[in-house]
Amino acid sequence: MKIEKADTFFKRLRGLIGRKNFPQGRGLMIVPCNSIHMFFMRFAIDAVYIDENFVIKKIVQNLQPWTGFSICLGAWAVVEFSAGESARLNLKVGQTLKAEIV
C-alpha cells in the first residue's frame, strides 16, 4: 500500500477535505496527530492510529462525513483510508503497518 504523508501545517489542515474519494490501496498519514474530525468531508473513512514504530494502536471503521470524530490518546499519527479498507487489508491492533511513504 502507498501512503501520502501530511506533516506540514497546511497539509495536515487540508487532510482529505475536498477529495471525492480515495483510491483502494492508498492512505493519508497525518503526523503528528491523535484525533480527527469529519467536517467538510465527502466520504466515509477508516482511521488507523499508529505509534512512532508504525504499530497499530486503534482502528476506527466507517467514520461518517460531517458527523464523525475520533481520538486515540498516545497515538503519534493517524492513517486515513476509504471506509472498508482496513478490513480489506486485514489490519489488526498490535500489528506493524507496512507501507510505502510517497
Side-chain angles (χ1 to χ4, degrees):
M1 96 188 71
K2 294 185 179 191
I3 296 178
E4 296 175 30
K5 190 174 185 182
D7 59 352
T8 67
F9 175 78
F10 290 109
K11 286 181 181 178
R12 291 175 59 225
L13 180 65
R14 179 165 183 227
L16 293 176
I17 293 172
R19 299 187 196 200
K20 292 183 180 178
N21 58 29
F22 209 52
Q24 187 174 4
R26 302 281 302 212
L28 176 71
M29 180 174 68
I30 302 172
V31 59
C33 182
N34 69 359
S35 67
I36 58 171
H37 65 80
M38 295 295 290
F39 298 123
F40 308 107
M41 289 288 293
R42 296 180 175 187
F43 59 97
I45 66 168
D46 291 348
V48 178
Y49 292 93
I50 58 174
D51 66 14
E52 295 89 346
N53 297 312
F54 286 66
V55 175
I56 299 173
K57 295 180 66 70
K58 180 179 180 179
I59 299 171
V60 181
Q61 297 178 326
N62 204 30
L63 282 167
Q64 294 299 306
W66 288 98
T67 59
F69 175 81
S70 178
I71 188 168
C72 178
L73 299 177
W76 171 70
V78 63
V79 181
E80 298 177 339
F81 297 101
S82 290
E85 194 70 356
S86 64
R88 187 187 77 77
L89 295 169
N90 199 31
L91 300 179
K92 306 284 184 212
V93 172
Q95 84 181 81
T96 301
L97 186 67
K98 297 188 185 333
E100 176 186 352
I101 306 297
V102 293

